[in-house]
Amino acid sequence: MQYFTGTPDNPIRVAIIGSGPSAFYAAEFLLSASDAVVEVDMFERLPTPFGLVRGGVAPDHPKIKTVTRAFERTAQHERFRFFGNVTFGRDLTHGDIAAHYHAVIYATGAQTDRRLGIPGEDLPNSHAATEFVAWYNGHPDYAHLSFDLSQERVAVIGNGNVAVDVARILARTPDELRQTDIADYALEALAQSNVREILILGRRGPAQAKFTSLELKELGNLAGADVFIDPRELELDPLSAEYLRSGESRTAVRNYEIFQEFARSRPLAKPRRIIMRFLLSPVEFVGTDRVEAIRMVKNEICEREHFMSPCPTEEYETVPVGLVFRSIGYQGVPLPGVPFDDRQGIIPNKRGRVINEHGERMRGEYAVGWIKRGAIGIIGSNKPDAQETVEYLLRDMAFHQHFCPANSSREAIPDLLQRRGIRYVTYEDWQLLDRLETERGETVGRPRIKLTSVAEMLNALETARQAATP
Ligand code: NAP
């Protein structure tokens, strides 16, 4: 049997659904394979690429966003194409993919939030942190939202990096925010904010918080907010004390030191306060027309299903708050025609190879990133993750374990999209939008002013096209 490794005339054709970090890392590994010739077409629902790097990474973390420089290099590869503004399952179906490609990689991330499942969760002024993040980052699907920033006390539930991002953005001064690429409308709304106190609530203790230390420490260096921790919050139960003593997690040890620094620090009477509390689980959001308070049960750390679980006591506490952000993790959503594991919120897979409900491998189908492993890890975690999937994909191709496309010509997909009247956006189009956004920013001394509606983006491209036509 002859191995299928692709040739310049008959390359392995791979469709990638999604254009965030895991998608770009997968493309990079496919295009740089030394023993295979692969062509990559990347499909993205929005006209803009980069997924959570554009729509999730906090605007005051521009350094993290420079990862897009590597993605830009991948996009310049002659065997790479970007098709933005194309929705999988609607504009392009699973059947279309199987008819035109040898394989597909799903890289759609985790697009929704986990639920607390408690009474009052859907009251006005209770929001998923994911929505707030997408809103301040100018994501077109969330740009219309509004948040009641007239409230003085806000709670952020969860002890992960998204909770820190949300608290920090709420605490930043208008001057700090103006230096970022935060959406214009969000800058305006946050400049009028009445928020004075931001409570960050963890269901487990300080030893189990999931913050990364750099992000946690940053909270202590804000121009307009002090961080408070009552030293009693840092008293450790035996399990936590032993965990820190063992040094098993350097991050946990470092985080605990930072918490202690916060507890020791003298407040500088800055206009806002961030208060961190632990071992509290919300059991109800109380209110009639909107959230007015959170009722919480006091937990203790015990050894249950997981080591160091939060176990409820008989003690309850009710804290008045006017606005709540639930920051308890992202969750994947199913794709039409693709297996889905509801419990874990991922596409079921074995090391990136998609499997069906009987545990059988689905020929030609692969997953990377958060839709493969769940919403854990930082951007860099997607690199080894994508490498694993691509290695299996190329191995499977070699042994002819792929879709059998009826038409794998390069022109077939753009022709199909045009016939369907889909106004897809190319990578060159995106570069034009990118320039436009940075030019808009330059005029007012900001790094970029984002376009925040799909119509606005498509109109801008149309105007540019007409201007370029003699
Ligand atoms: P995360 O790190 O998984 O944190 C989720 C938090 O929610 C945990 O503290 C968790 O507590 C808590 N939680 C879960 N269910 C809960 C419940 N029912 N009640 C109360 N609390 C609950 O998730 P994330 O903050 O959304 O971040 C997702 C990933 O993106 C993480 O890997 C994160 O590091 C990464 N990220 C990185 C950056 C950065 O590098 N700057 C920025 C943003 C996000 P338990 O620990 O008890 O489960």
Side-chain angles (χ1 to χ4, degrees), residues 61 64 114-116 157-163 165 201 203-204 208-210 212 215 280-282 310 327-330 370 375-378:
H61 280 172
I64 298 182
R114 282 200 212 127
R115 304 274 300 165
L116 284 165
I157 294 164
N159 268 185
N161 279 336
V162 171
D165 281 348
L201 304 169
R203 69 172 169 180
R204 296 195 289 161
Q208 293 83 29
K210 286 187 172 148
T212 45
E215 277 66 24
L280 290 167
S281 278
S327 183
I328 62 164
Y330 286 77
W370 280 3
I376 42 169
I378 56 173

Side-chain angles (χ1 to χ4, degrees), residues 158-218:
N159 268 185
N161 279 336
V162 171
V164 169
D165 281 348
V166 166
R168 203 180 58 251
I169 293 298
L170 287 167
R172 287 269 188 214
T173 63
D175 276 348
E176 285 175 315
L177 292 175
R178 208 164 285 121
Q179 292 156 34
T180 74
D181 68 356
I182 193 166
D184 240 13
Y185 54 73
L187 178 63
E188 218 170 282
L190 286 160
Q192 307 296 321
S193 163
N194 211 22
V195 171
R196 289 290 162 268
E197 198 166 286
I198 301 151
L199 299 171
I200 303 181
L201 304 169
R203 69 172 169 180
R204 296 195 289 161
Q208 293 83 29
K210 286 187 172 148
F211 312 123
T212 45
S213 305
L214 204 67
E215 277 66 24
L216 178 61
K217 196 167 170 56
E218 194 182 2

Side-chain angles (χ1 to χ4, degrees), residues 211-344:
F211 312 123
T212 45
S213 305
L214 204 67
E215 277 66 24
L216 178 61
K217 196 167 170 56
E218 194 182 2
L219 281 185
N221 300 323
L222 300 178
D226 288 312
V227 185
F228 284 84
I229 300 185
D230 184 327
R232 281 171 299 183
E233 296 273 345
L234 300 183
E235 286 167 12
L236 293 174
D237 60 279
L239 278 178
S240 301
E242 177 49 34
Y243 175 60
L244 291 185
R245 222 181 354 259
S246 74
E248 189 185 320
S249 162
R250 280 171 57 92
T251 302
V253 172
R254 182 69 194 116
N255 282 355
Y256 190 70
E257 287 166 2
I258 298 168
F259 291 137
Q260 286 177 313
E261 284 164 27
F262 288 162
R264 276 194 302 267
S265 66
R266 291 251 192 93
L268 297 169
K270 294 179 186 172
R272 292 191 170 116
R273 306 170 5 128
I274 296 173
I275 300 174
M276 307 190 81
R277 303 221 27 215
F278 300 100
L279 293 167
L280 290 167
S281 278
V283 291
E284 184 182 356
F285 292 166
V286 186
T288 39
D289 299 333
R290 63 163 177 83
V291 175
E292 288 161 26
I294 309 182
R295 186 156 184 268
M296 297 180 286
V297 64
K298 183 93 187 143
N299 295 324
E300 55 191 18
I301 296 295
C302 64
E303 215 161 347
R304 223 182 232 178
E305 303 138 41
H306 307 290
F307 182 51
M308 299 192 297
S309 292
C311 297
T313 65
E314 300 288 311
E315 221 180 300
Y316 289 82
E317 181 177 338
T318 300
V319 178
V321 295
L323 181 62
V324 176
F325 294 104
R326 309 177 311 264
S327 183
I328 62 164
Y330 286 77
Q331 167 114 354
V333 294
L335 293 169
V338 183
F340 193 68
D341 176 339
D342 281 313
R343 207 176 49 80
Q344 296 191 70

